[in-house]
Amino acid sequence: MTIDADAVLWSAPEAERADRPLLVLLHGVGSHEGDLFGLTPHLPTEPVIASLRAPLRYGGGYAWFPMPEEAADADRWQAARDSVAGVLEWLDAQNFSSVGLLGFSQGAAMSFDLLRAAPARFSYAVPLSGFVIPEPHDGDAELARLRPPVFWGRGDADPLFTEERLAHTHEWVPQHTTATVRVYPGLGHSVSEQEIGDIAAFIQAQLG
């Protein structure tokens, strides 16, 4: 589950990246590194943005872990943890003053699990239209102690997640993070213009 360094989309050339904040984008299932990169013009300009490609092929795009029809949950969550390890390995080769995360759908689940795997490594996270993997993690206690800022946004018309999964995430997020939770009326499995504005303001606040 390694990250293809040649597939990463960057908002700045290599000579302009060192010692700046980094914002890592993690796309949803069946998508690719070019998807969330389209948000770049709407986000603060201080961070260098890097959009990653997930390691698994899925349809015409990529995935961070298998879908329910492809594997049992235990195998899906193990694949997610393997993808997390791949992202952390990729980050080991980078040189930035701080790291934030922004993920959509499966990428949101990855954002949550990256926080759990390395609680001290990330300054903030923006998981969108996604959920917390519903099993314990060794990093949860340390994450609850550090409580990094998290913006969790979703639409109340999103049909993809069960009430049980949403209830677990609503309970988990304020217990482990300094949470900003936004539920957008009428929004499905997508990101709205209002939400993009809220995300940009949240990230700007984390940059000071």
Short mmCIF file of all heavy atoms in Angstrom, two decimals, residues 142-204:
data_model
loop_
_atom_site.label_atom_id
_atom_site.label_comp_id
_atom_site.label_asym_id
_atom_site.label_seq_id
_atom_site.Cartn_x
_atom_site.Cartn_y
_atom_site.Cartn_z
N GLU A 142 -4.17 8.80 23.07
CA GLU A 142 -3.28 9.93 22.85
C GLU A 142 -3.97 11.03 22.04
O GLU A 142 -3.79 12.22 22.30
CB GLU A 142 -2.01 9.47 22.14
CG GLU A 142 -1.01 10.58 21.83
CD GLU A 142 -0.39 11.21 23.06
OE1 GLU A 142 -0.66 10.75 24.20
OE2 GLU A 142 0.40 12.17 22.89
N LEU A 143 -4.78 10.63 21.07
CA LEU A 143 -5.52 11.60 20.28
C LEU A 143 -6.49 12.38 21.17
O LEU A 143 -6.60 13.61 21.05
CB LEU A 143 -6.28 10.90 19.16
CG LEU A 143 -7.01 11.81 18.17
CD1 LEU A 143 -6.05 12.71 17.43
CD2 LEU A 143 -7.84 10.97 17.19
N ALA A 144 -7.18 11.68 22.07
CA ALA A 144 -8.10 12.35 22.98
C ALA A 144 -7.38 13.31 23.91
O ALA A 144 -7.95 14.32 24.36
CB ALA A 144 -8.89 11.31 23.77
N ARG A 145 -6.12 13.03 24.22
CA ARG A 145 -5.34 13.94 25.06
C ARG A 145 -4.93 15.18 24.29
O ARG A 145 -5.01 16.31 24.81
CB ARG A 145 -4.09 13.21 25.59
CG ARG A 145 -3.28 14.04 26.58
CD ARG A 145 -2.01 13.32 26.99
NE ARG A 145 -1.02 13.30 25.92
CZ ARG A 145 -0.20 14.33 25.64
NH1 ARG A 145 -0.26 15.45 26.35
NH2 ARG A 145 0.68 14.22 24.66
N LEU A 146 -4.53 15.02 23.03
CA LEU A 146 -4.05 16.15 22.23
C LEU A 146 -5.19 16.97 21.62
O LEU A 146 -5.06 18.18 21.47
CB LEU A 146 -3.14 15.63 21.12
CG LEU A 146 -1.84 14.99 21.57
CD1 LEU A 146 -1.08 14.42 20.38
CD2 LEU A 146 -0.96 16.00 22.31
N ARG A 147 -6.27 16.30 21.23
CA ARG A 147 -7.48 16.94 20.71
C ARG A 147 -7.18 17.96 19.60
O ARG A 147 -7.46 19.16 19.74
CB ARG A 147 -8.27 17.60 21.84
CG ARG A 147 -8.65 16.65 22.95
CD ARG A 147 -9.45 17.32 24.05
NE ARG A 147 -10.76 17.68 23.57
CZ ARG A 147 -11.82 16.85 23.55
NH1 ARG A 147 -11.67 15.61 23.98
NH2 ARG A 147 -12.98 17.24 23.12
N PRO A 148 -6.63 17.54 18.48
CA PRO A 148 -6.35 18.47 17.38
C PRO A 148 -7.65 19.01 16.78
O PRO A 148 -8.70 18.35 16.85
CB PRO A 148 -5.60 17.60 16.37
CG PRO A 148 -6.09 16.22 16.65
CD PRO A 148 -6.27 16.15 18.14
N PRO A 149 -7.60 20.18 16.15
CA PRO A 149 -8.80 20.73 15.52
C PRO A 149 -9.26 19.88 14.34
O PRO A 149 -8.44 19.50 13.49
CB PRO A 149 -8.35 22.12 15.05
CG PRO A 149 -7.10 22.42 15.81
CD PRO A 149 -6.45 21.10 16.07
N VAL A 150 -10.55 19.62 14.29
CA VAL A 150 -11.14 18.84 13.20
C VAL A 150 -12.41 19.53 12.73
O VAL A 150 -13.26 19.92 13.55
CB VAL A 150 -11.45 17.40 13.64
CG1 VAL A 150 -12.39 16.70 12.66
CG2 VAL A 150 -10.17 16.59 13.76
N PHE A 151 -12.53 19.69 11.41
CA PHE A 151 -13.77 20.16 10.78
C PHE A 151 -14.40 18.97 10.10
O PHE A 151 -13.88 18.47 9.09
CB PHE A 151 -13.46 21.26 9.76
CG PHE A 151 -14.68 21.82 9.06
CD1 PHE A 151 -15.22 23.04 9.43
CD2 PHE A 151 -15.28 21.12 8.00
CE1 PHE A 151 -16.33 23.55 8.78
CE2 PHE A 151 -16.39 21.62 7.35
CZ PHE A 151 -16.92 22.84 7.74
N TRP A 152 -15.52 18.48 10.66
CA TRP A 152 -16.25 17.37 10.04
C TRP A 152 -17.51 17.93 9.41
O TRP A 152 -18.39 18.41 10.10
CB TRP A 152 -16.59 16.29 11.07
CG TRP A 152 -17.36 15.13 10.49
CD1 TRP A 152 -17.13 14.53 9.29
CD2 TRP A 152 -18.46 14.45 11.08
NE1 TRP A 152 -18.03 13.50 9.09
CE2 TRP A 152 -18.86 13.43 10.17
CE3 TRP A 152 -19.15 14.59 12.28
CZ2 TRP A 152 -19.92 12.57 10.44
CZ3 TRP A 152 -20.22 13.73 12.55
CH2 TRP A 152 -20.58 12.72 11.64
N GLY A 153 -17.56 17.88 8.08
CA GLY A 153 -18.72 18.39 7.35
C GLY A 153 -19.40 17.29 6.57
O GLY A 153 -18.75 16.40 6.02
N ARG A 154 -20.73 17.36 6.50
CA ARG A 154 -21.49 16.38 5.71
C ARG A 154 -22.86 16.98 5.40
O ARG A 154 -23.29 17.95 6.01
CB ARG A 154 -21.66 15.06 6.46
CG ARG A 154 -22.55 15.15 7.70
CD ARG A 154 -22.74 13.79 8.35
NE ARG A 154 -23.66 13.83 9.48
CZ ARG A 154 -24.98 13.69 9.38
NH1 ARG A 154 -25.55 13.51 8.19
NH2 ARG A 154 -25.74 13.73 10.46
N GLY A 155 -23.55 16.38 4.44
CA GLY A 155 -24.90 16.78 4.12
C GLY A 155 -25.93 15.91 4.81
O GLY A 155 -25.70 14.71 5.00
N ASP A 156 -27.07 16.49 5.17
CA ASP A 156 -28.09 15.68 5.83
C ASP A 156 -28.88 14.83 4.84
O ASP A 156 -29.72 14.01 5.24
CB ASP A 156 -29.02 16.54 6.69
CG ASP A 156 -29.92 17.46 5.87
OD1 ASP A 156 -29.81 17.51 4.63
OD2 ASP A 156 -30.75 18.17 6.49
N ALA A 157 -28.62 15.00 3.52
CA ALA A 157 -29.27 14.17 2.51
C ALA A 157 -28.29 13.17 1.89
O ALA A 157 -28.56 12.61 0.83
CB ALA A 157 -29.87 15.05 1.42
N ASP A 158 -27.17 12.95 2.55
CA ASP A 158 -26.17 11.98 2.06
C ASP A 158 -26.71 10.57 2.28
O ASP A 158 -26.94 10.17 3.43
CB ASP A 158 -24.86 12.19 2.82
CG ASP A 158 -23.70 11.40 2.22
OD1 ASP A 158 -23.95 10.37 1.57
OD2 ASP A 158 -22.54 11.82 2.41
N PRO A 159 -26.90 9.79 1.22
CA PRO A 159 -27.53 8.48 1.37
C PRO A 159 -26.56 7.34 1.65
O PRO A 159 -27.00 6.18 1.79
CB PRO A 159 -28.18 8.26 -0.01
CG PRO A 159 -27.23 8.93 -0.95
CD PRO A 159 -26.66 10.11 -0.21
N LEU A 160 -25.26 7.60 1.75
CA LEU A 160 -24.29 6.51 1.71
C LEU A 160 -23.97 5.89 3.06
O LEU A 160 -23.36 4.83 3.11
CB LEU A 160 -22.99 7.00 1.06
CG LEU A 160 -23.07 7.36 -0.42
CD1 LEU A 160 -21.67 7.52 -0.99
CD2 LEU A 160 -23.83 6.32 -1.22
N PHE A 161 -24.36 6.53 4.17
CA PHE A 161 -23.93 6.02 5.47
C PHE A 161 -25.12 5.70 6.35
O PHE A 161 -26.10 6.44 6.38
CB PHE A 161 -23.02 7.05 6.16
CG PHE A 161 -21.86 7.46 5.30
CD1 PHE A 161 -21.73 8.75 4.84
CD2 PHE A 161 -20.90 6.53 4.93
CE1 PHE A 161 -20.67 9.13 4.03
CE2 PHE A 161 -19.83 6.89 4.12
CZ PHE A 161 -19.72 8.19 3.67
N THR A 162 -25.01 4.60 7.08
CA THR A 162 -26.09 4.19 7.97
C THR A 162 -26.17 5.11 9.18
O THR A 162 -25.20 5.78 9.54
CB THR A 162 -25.86 2.75 8.46
OG1 THR A 162 -24.66 2.72 9.26
CG2 THR A 162 -25.71 1.78 7.29
N GLU A 163 -27.34 5.14 9.79
CA GLU A 163 -27.52 5.94 11.01
C GLU A 163 -26.55 5.49 12.10
O GLU A 163 -26.03 6.30 12.86
CB GLU A 163 -28.97 5.84 11.49
CG GLU A 163 -29.96 6.59 10.63
CD GLU A 163 -29.66 8.08 10.57
OE1 GLU A 163 -29.28 8.66 11.61
OE2 GLU A 163 -29.80 8.67 9.49
N GLU A 164 -26.29 4.18 12.17
CA GLU A 164 -25.38 3.65 13.18
C GLU A 164 -23.97 4.19 12.98
O GLU A 164 -23.30 4.60 13.94
CB GLU A 164 -25.37 2.13 13.11
CG GLU A 164 -24.46 1.47 14.14
CD GLU A 164 -24.46 -0.05 14.04
OE1 GLU A 164 -24.99 -0.57 13.04
OE2 GLU A 164 -23.92 -0.70 14.94
N ARG A 165 -23.52 4.22 11.71
CA ARG A 165 -22.17 4.70 11.43
C ARG A 165 -22.06 6.21 11.71
O ARG A 165 -21.07 6.67 12.28
CB ARG A 165 -21.81 4.39 9.99
CG ARG A 165 -20.35 4.60 9.68
CD ARG A 165 -19.87 3.63 8.63
NE ARG A 165 -19.82 2.27 9.16
CZ ARG A 165 -19.62 1.19 8.43
NH1 ARG A 165 -19.45 1.30 7.13
NH2 ARG A 165 -19.57 0.00 8.98
N LEU A 166 -23.09 6.96 11.35
CA LEU A 166 -23.08 8.40 11.63
C LEU A 166 -23.13 8.67 13.12
O LEU A 166 -22.44 9.56 13.63
CB LEU A 166 -24.25 9.07 10.92
CG LEU A 166 -24.16 9.18 9.40
CD1 LEU A 166 -25.44 9.77 8.85
CD2 LEU A 166 -22.96 10.02 8.98
N ALA A 167 -23.95 7.90 13.84
CA ALA A 167 -24.06 8.09 15.29
C ALA A 167 -22.73 7.82 15.97
O ALA A 167 -22.31 8.55 16.88
CB ALA A 167 -25.15 7.18 15.85
N HIS A 168 -22.04 6.78 15.52
CA HIS A 168 -20.71 6.48 16.09
C HIS A 168 -19.75 7.64 15.85
O HIS A 168 -19.01 8.04 16.76
CB HIS A 168 -20.16 5.20 15.47
CG HIS A 168 -18.73 4.93 15.81
ND1 HIS A 168 -18.32 4.52 17.07
CD2 HIS A 168 -17.60 5.05 15.06
CE1 HIS A 168 -17.00 4.39 17.08
NE2 HIS A 168 -16.54 4.70 15.88
N THR A 169 -19.76 8.19 14.63
CA THR A 169 -18.85 9.29 14.32
C THR A 169 -19.20 10.54 15.10
O THR A 169 -18.31 11.23 15.61
CB THR A 169 -18.86 9.57 12.80
OG1 THR A 169 -18.55 8.34 12.11
CG2 THR A 169 -17.83 10.62 12.42
N HIS A 170 -20.50 10.84 15.21
CA HIS A 170 -20.92 12.01 15.99
C HIS A 170 -20.49 11.89 17.45
O HIS A 170 -20.18 12.90 18.09
CB HIS A 170 -22.45 12.17 15.90
CG HIS A 170 -22.90 13.01 14.75
ND1 HIS A 170 -22.74 14.38 14.71
CD2 HIS A 170 -23.50 12.66 13.59
CE1 HIS A 170 -23.23 14.84 13.57
NE2 HIS A 170 -23.69 13.83 12.87
N GLU A 171 -20.47 10.68 17.97
CA GLU A 171 -20.03 10.46 19.36
C GLU A 171 -18.51 10.54 19.47
O GLU A 171 -17.96 11.14 20.40
CB GLU A 171 -20.52 9.09 19.85
CG GLU A 171 -20.11 8.77 21.28
CD GLU A 171 -20.62 7.42 21.73
OE1 GLU A 171 -21.11 6.64 20.89
OE2 GLU A 171 -20.50 7.12 22.94
N TRP A 172 -17.81 9.94 18.50
CA TRP A 172 -16.36 9.82 18.56
C TRP A 172 -15.66 11.17 18.37
O TRP A 172 -14.70 11.48 19.08
CB TRP A 172 -15.90 8.83 17.50
CG TRP A 172 -14.44 8.50 17.51
CD1 TRP A 172 -13.83 7.45 18.13
CD2 TRP A 172 -13.39 9.24 16.86
NE1 TRP A 172 -12.48 7.48 17.91
CE2 TRP A 172 -12.18 8.57 17.13
CE3 TRP A 172 -13.36 10.39 16.08
CZ2 TRP A 172 -10.95 9.02 16.66
CZ3 TRP A 172 -12.14 10.85 15.60
CH2 TRP A 172 -10.95 10.18 15.88
N VAL A 173 -16.11 11.96 17.42
CA VAL A 173 -15.39 13.18 17.04
C VAL A 173 -15.19 14.13 18.22
O VAL A 173 -14.05 14.56 18.48
CB VAL A 173 -16.08 13.87 15.84
CG1 VAL A 173 -15.52 15.26 15.62
CG2 VAL A 173 -15.91 13.03 14.57
N PRO A 174 -16.23 14.52 18.97
CA PRO A 174 -15.99 15.44 20.09
C PRO A 174 -15.25 14.81 21.27
O PRO A 174 -14.68 15.53 22.09
CB PRO A 174 -17.40 15.89 20.50
CG PRO A 174 -18.30 14.81 20.02
CD PRO A 174 -17.66 14.26 18.78
N GLN A 175 -15.21 13.49 21.33
CA GLN A 175 -14.48 12.83 22.41
C GLN A 175 -12.97 12.81 22.16
O GLN A 175 -12.19 12.69 23.10
CB GLN A 175 -14.98 11.39 22.58
CG GLN A 175 -16.37 11.27 23.15
CD GLN A 175 -16.83 9.83 23.25
OE1 GLN A 175 -16.21 8.91 22.70
NE2 GLN A 175 -17.94 9.61 23.93
N HIS A 176 -12.56 12.91 20.89
CA HIS A 176 -11.15 12.75 20.54
C HIS A 176 -10.50 13.96 19.89
O HIS A 176 -9.29 13.96 19.70
CB HIS A 176 -10.99 11.54 19.60
CG HIS A 176 -11.36 10.24 20.23
ND1 HIS A 176 -12.65 9.78 20.28
CD2 HIS A 176 -10.60 9.30 20.86
CE1 HIS A 176 -12.68 8.60 20.90
NE2 HIS A 176 -11.45 8.29 21.25
N THR A 177 -11.30 14.96 19.53
CA THR A 177 -10.77 16.12 18.82
C THR A 177 -11.41 17.40 19.34
O THR A 177 -12.39 17.37 20.09
CB THR A 177 -11.05 16.03 17.30
OG1 THR A 177 -12.44 16.28 17.05
CG2 THR A 177 -10.68 14.66 16.75
N THR A 178 -10.84 18.53 18.94
CA THR A 178 -11.51 19.82 19.14
C THR A 178 -12.35 20.03 17.89
O THR A 178 -11.84 20.42 16.83
CB THR A 178 -10.47 20.94 19.31
OG1 THR A 178 -9.64 20.63 20.44
CG2 THR A 178 -11.15 22.28 19.52
N ALA A 179 -13.64 19.74 18.01
CA ALA A 179 -14.48 19.51 16.85
C ALA A 179 -15.27 20.74 16.41
O ALA A 179 -15.84 21.45 17.23
CB ALA A 179 -15.45 18.37 17.13
N THR A 180 -15.28 20.95 15.10
CA THR A 180 -16.24 21.81 14.43
C THR A 180 -17.06 20.90 13.54
O THR A 180 -16.52 20.31 12.59
CB THR A 180 -15.54 22.89 13.59
OG1 THR A 180 -14.74 23.72 14.44
CG2 THR A 180 -16.57 23.76 12.86
N VAL A 181 -18.35 20.76 13.83
CA VAL A 181 -19.22 19.85 13.08
C VAL A 181 -20.25 20.68 12.32
O VAL A 181 -20.94 21.51 12.91
CB VAL A 181 -19.92 18.85 14.01
CG1 VAL A 181 -20.86 17.94 13.22
CG2 VAL A 181 -18.89 18.01 14.77
N ARG A 182 -20.34 20.46 11.03
CA ARG A 182 -21.31 21.16 10.19
C ARG A 182 -22.12 20.14 9.39
O ARG A 182 -21.55 19.30 8.69
CB ARG A 182 -20.61 22.10 9.21
CG ARG A 182 -19.87 23.25 9.87
CD ARG A 182 -20.83 24.34 10.34
NE ARG A 182 -20.09 25.50 10.85
CZ ARG A 182 -19.69 25.65 12.11
NH1 ARG A 182 -19.98 24.70 13.00
NH2 ARG A 182 -19.03 26.72 12.47
N VAL A 183 -23.44 20.21 9.54
CA VAL A 183 -24.35 19.37 8.77
C VAL A 183 -25.16 20.31 7.88
O VAL A 183 -25.88 21.18 8.37
CB VAL A 183 -25.27 18.54 9.68
CG1 VAL A 183 -26.20 17.67 8.85
CG2 VAL A 183 -24.45 17.68 10.64
N TYR A 184 -25.04 20.13 6.56
CA TYR A 184 -25.61 21.07 5.59
C TYR A 184 -26.95 20.56 5.08
O TYR A 184 -27.02 19.47 4.49
CB TYR A 184 -24.63 21.28 4.44
CG TYR A 184 -23.36 21.95 4.89
CD1 TYR A 184 -22.27 21.18 5.33
CD2 TYR A 184 -23.24 23.33 4.94
CE1 TYR A 184 -21.10 21.78 5.78
CE2 TYR A 184 -22.08 23.94 5.40
CZ TYR A 184 -21.02 23.16 5.82
OH TYR A 184 -19.87 23.76 6.28
N PRO A 185 -28.02 21.32 5.28
CA PRO A 185 -29.36 20.88 4.84
C PRO A 185 -29.43 20.68 3.34
O PRO A 185 -28.96 21.51 2.56
CB PRO A 185 -30.27 22.03 5.29
CG PRO A 185 -29.51 22.75 6.36
CD PRO A 185 -28.07 22.61 6.00
N GLY A 186 -30.00 19.54 2.94
CA GLY A 186 -30.24 19.26 1.54
C GLY A 186 -29.02 18.80 0.76
O GLY A 186 -29.15 18.46 -0.43
N LEU A 187 -27.86 18.76 1.37
CA LEU A 187 -26.64 18.37 0.67
C LEU A 187 -26.51 16.85 0.67
O LEU A 187 -26.62 16.21 1.71
CB LEU A 187 -25.42 19.00 1.33
CG LEU A 187 -24.05 18.69 0.70
CD1 LEU A 187 -23.98 19.25 -0.72
CD2 LEU A 187 -22.92 19.25 1.55
N GLY A 188 -26.25 16.28 -0.51
CA GLY A 188 -26.03 14.85 -0.63
C GLY A 188 -24.57 14.49 -0.43
O GLY A 188 -23.86 15.14 0.35
N HIS A 189 -24.11 13.49 -1.16
CA HIS A 189 -22.71 13.05 -1.03
C HIS A 189 -21.85 13.93 -1.92
O HIS A 189 -21.40 13.53 -3.00
CB HIS A 189 -22.60 11.57 -1.41
CG HIS A 189 -21.32 10.94 -0.97
ND1 HIS A 189 -20.98 10.79 0.36
CD2 HIS A 189 -20.28 10.42 -1.68
CE1 HIS A 189 -19.81 10.20 0.45
NE2 HIS A 189 -19.35 9.97 -0.78
N SER A 190 -21.63 15.14 -1.43
CA SER A 190 -20.97 16.15 -2.25
C SER A 190 -20.43 17.24 -1.32
O SER A 190 -20.53 17.14 -0.10
CB SER A 190 -21.97 16.74 -3.25
OG SER A 190 -21.35 17.68 -4.10
N VAL A 191 -19.87 18.28 -1.93
CA VAL A 191 -19.37 19.44 -1.20
C VAL A 191 -20.02 20.68 -1.81
O VAL A 191 -20.00 20.85 -3.04
CB VAL A 191 -17.84 19.55 -1.29
CG1 VAL A 191 -17.34 20.78 -0.54
CG2 VAL A 191 -17.18 18.29 -0.74
N SER A 192 -20.59 21.53 -0.97
CA SER A 192 -21.30 22.71 -1.47
C SER A 192 -20.40 23.94 -1.44
O SER A 192 -19.35 23.96 -0.79
CB SER A 192 -22.55 22.97 -0.63
OG SER A 192 -22.18 23.38 0.68
N GLU A 193 -20.86 24.99 -2.11
CA GLU A 193 -20.12 26.24 -2.11
C GLU A 193 -20.01 26.81 -0.70
O GLU A 193 -18.95 27.31 -0.31
CB GLU A 193 -20.82 27.25 -3.04
CG GLU A 193 -20.09 28.57 -3.19
CD GLU A 193 -20.76 29.49 -4.19
OE1 GLU A 193 -21.59 29.01 -4.99
OE2 GLU A 193 -20.46 30.70 -4.18
N GLN A 194 -21.10 26.72 0.06
CA GLN A 194 -21.06 27.20 1.45
C GLN A 194 -20.04 26.42 2.26
O GLN A 194 -19.27 27.00 3.04
CB GLN A 194 -22.44 27.08 2.10
CG GLN A 194 -22.46 27.52 3.56
CD GLN A 194 -23.80 27.26 4.23
OE1 GLN A 194 -24.76 26.83 3.60
NE2 GLN A 194 -23.87 27.51 5.54
N GLU A 195 -20.01 25.10 2.07
CA GLU A 195 -19.08 24.26 2.82
C GLU A 195 -17.64 24.60 2.46
O GLU A 195 -16.77 24.67 3.34
CB GLU A 195 -19.35 22.79 2.55
CG GLU A 195 -18.52 21.85 3.42
CD GLU A 195 -18.90 20.40 3.23
OE1 GLU A 195 -19.49 20.06 2.18
OE2 GLU A 195 -18.59 19.59 4.12
N ILE A 196 -17.37 24.85 1.18
CA ILE A 196 -16.01 25.21 0.76
C ILE A 196 -15.57 26.49 1.46
O ILE A 196 -14.42 26.60 1.92
CB ILE A 196 -15.93 25.36 -0.77
CG1 ILE A 196 -16.11 23.98 -1.43
CG2 ILE A 196 -14.59 25.96 -1.19
CD1 ILE A 196 -16.28 24.04 -2.93
N GLY A 197 -16.47 27.47 1.56
CA GLY A 197 -16.14 28.70 2.28
C GLY A 197 -15.85 28.44 3.74
O GLY A 197 -14.90 29.01 4.31
N ASP A 198 -16.64 27.56 4.37
CA ASP A 198 -16.40 27.22 5.78
C ASP A 198 -15.07 26.49 5.96
O ASP A 198 -14.35 26.73 6.94
CB ASP A 198 -17.55 26.35 6.30
CG ASP A 198 -18.87 27.10 6.40
OD1 ASP A 198 -18.85 28.34 6.40
OD2 ASP A 198 -19.92 26.42 6.46
N ILE A 199 -14.74 25.61 5.02
CA ILE A 199 -13.47 24.88 5.07
C ILE A 199 -12.30 25.85 4.97
O ILE A 199 -11.33 25.77 5.74
CB ILE A 199 -13.41 23.85 3.94
CG1 ILE A 199 -14.43 22.74 4.15
CG2 ILE A 199 -12.00 23.25 3.82
CD1 ILE A 199 -14.70 21.92 2.91
N ALA A 200 -12.37 26.77 4.02
CA ALA A 200 -11.29 27.72 3.83
C ALA A 200 -11.08 28.57 5.08
O ALA A 200 -9.93 28.81 5.50
CB ALA A 200 -11.58 28.61 2.62
N ALA A 201 -12.17 29.00 5.70
CA ALA A 201 -12.07 29.80 6.93
C ALA A 201 -11.47 28.98 8.06
O ALA A 201 -10.65 29.47 8.84
CB ALA A 201 -13.45 30.33 7.32
N PHE A 202 -11.86 27.70 8.16
CA PHE A 202 -11.32 26.82 9.21
C PHE A 202 -9.81 26.65 9.03
O PHE A 202 -9.03 26.78 9.98
CB PHE A 202 -12.03 25.48 9.16
CG PHE A 202 -11.43 24.44 10.08
CD1 PHE A 202 -11.79 24.40 11.41
CD2 PHE A 202 -10.52 23.51 9.60
CE1 PHE A 202 -11.23 23.44 12.27
CE2 PHE A 202 -9.96 22.56 10.43
CZ PHE A 202 -10.32 22.53 11.78
N ILE A 203 -9.38 26.34 7.80
CA ILE A 203 -7.95 26.15 7.55
C ILE A 203 -7.18 27.43 7.83
O ILE A 203 -6.10 27.39 8.44
CB ILE A 203 -7.73 25.66 6.11
CG1 ILE A 203 -8.31 24.24 5.93
CG2 ILE A 203 -6.23 25.65 5.76
CD1 ILE A 203 -8.27 23.74 4.50
N GLN A 204 -7.70 28.55 7.41
CA GLN A 204 -7.03 29.83 7.65
C GLN A 204 -6.86 30.07 9.14
O GLN A 204 -5.81 30.54 9.59
CB GLN A 204 -7.82 30.99 7.02
CG GLN A 204 -7.07 32.31 7.04
CD GLN A 204 -5.79 32.28 6.23
OE1 GLN A 204 -5.82 32.02 5.03
NE2 GLN A 204 -4.66 32.52 6.87
#
